């Protein structure tokens, strides 16, 4: 039998920074819940210009730089990431994405899933989301 107990109120903190593109829909860049930060997917959009580069390498760099900005606003850095999910428009871009991705992390690497999707917002080539912990 399940018994619901009232003991704690969940406090969600919205993480927002100009170092990453603003949300283009009804969502937050990231949410902090206790010691964890959960991000929305980050396209490779330059937050200063709103432009999306054309190459997979440039989009991956910008996506990861956007993630760094969100982490900084959270009081974290790339070393706090425990899990990422990478969405690719074309799995043929995996090697090029991975060559960039590996330069942003050190061992022990975060867990990761990479999936090919039919289409990304703004016709992006890559989108990356993360879960990080203090």
């Amino acid at each position: 039998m399940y018994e619901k107990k009232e003991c704690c109120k969940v406090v969600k903190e919205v993480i927002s920074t100009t170092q990453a593109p603003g949300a283009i829909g009804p969502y937050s860049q990231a949410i902090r819940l206790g010691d964890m930060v959960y991000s929305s997917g980050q396209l490779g959009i330059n937050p200063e210009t709103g432009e999306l580069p054309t190459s997979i390498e440039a989009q991956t760099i910008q996506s990861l730089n956007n993630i760094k900005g969100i982490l900084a606003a959270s009081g974290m850095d790339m070393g706090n990431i425990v899990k990422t999910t990478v969405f690719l428009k074309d799995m043929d871009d995996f090697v090029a994405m991975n060559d960039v991705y590996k330069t942003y992390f050190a061992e022990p690497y975060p867990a990761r899933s990479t999936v090919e999707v039919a289409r990304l917002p703004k016709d992006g080539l890559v989108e990356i989301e993360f879960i990080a912990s203090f």
Side-chain angles (χ1 to χ4, degrees):
M1 173 187 267
Y2 173 76
E3 183 179 331
K4 182 177 180 182
K5 294 184 179 181
E6 298 291 330
C7 69
C8 308
K9 182 177 179 180
V10 174
V11 178
K12 295 190 296 186
E13 177 187 346
V14 174
I15 306 298
S16 181
T17 179
T18 58
Q19 299 302 306
I24 56 175
Y27 60 88
S28 301
Q29 288 173 324
I31 294 289
R32 180 175 176 180
L33 183 63
D35 289 343
M36 305 295 290
V37 172
Y38 302 86
S39 81
S40 295
Q42 292 300 303
L43 293 168
I45 297 172
N46 182 314
E48 294 176 12
T49 66
E51 298 294 319
L52 186 65
T54 57
S55 74
I56 184 65
E57 294 87 356
Q59 286 190 29
T60 303
I61 288 167
Q62 188 61 61
S63 175
L64 290 164
N65 285 339
N66 294 343
I67 286 170
K68 286 174 84 171
I70 292 169
L71 287 165
S74 306
M76 297 180 164
D77 61 32
M78 298 297 276
N80 292 100
I81 294 179
V82 296
K83 171 76 167 82
T84 64
T85 304
V86 178
F87 303 95
L88 289 174
K89 182 178 179 182
D90 186 343
M91 197 58 81
D92 288 342
D93 288 334
F94 179 86
V95 172
M97 175 280 299
N98 200 53
D99 285 346
V100 172
Y101 179 97
K102 68 183 176 187
T103 67
Y104 281 76
F105 295 96
E107 290 188 38
Y109 300 113
R112 179 178 81 183
S113 302
T114 304
V115 295
E116 181 179 79
V117 295
R119 190 168 182 198
L120 290 167
K122 307 254 183 203
D123 289 320
L125 302 175
V126 62
E127 182 174 43
I128 304 172
E129 65 182 25
F130 70 84
I131 300 171
S133 177
F134 282 102

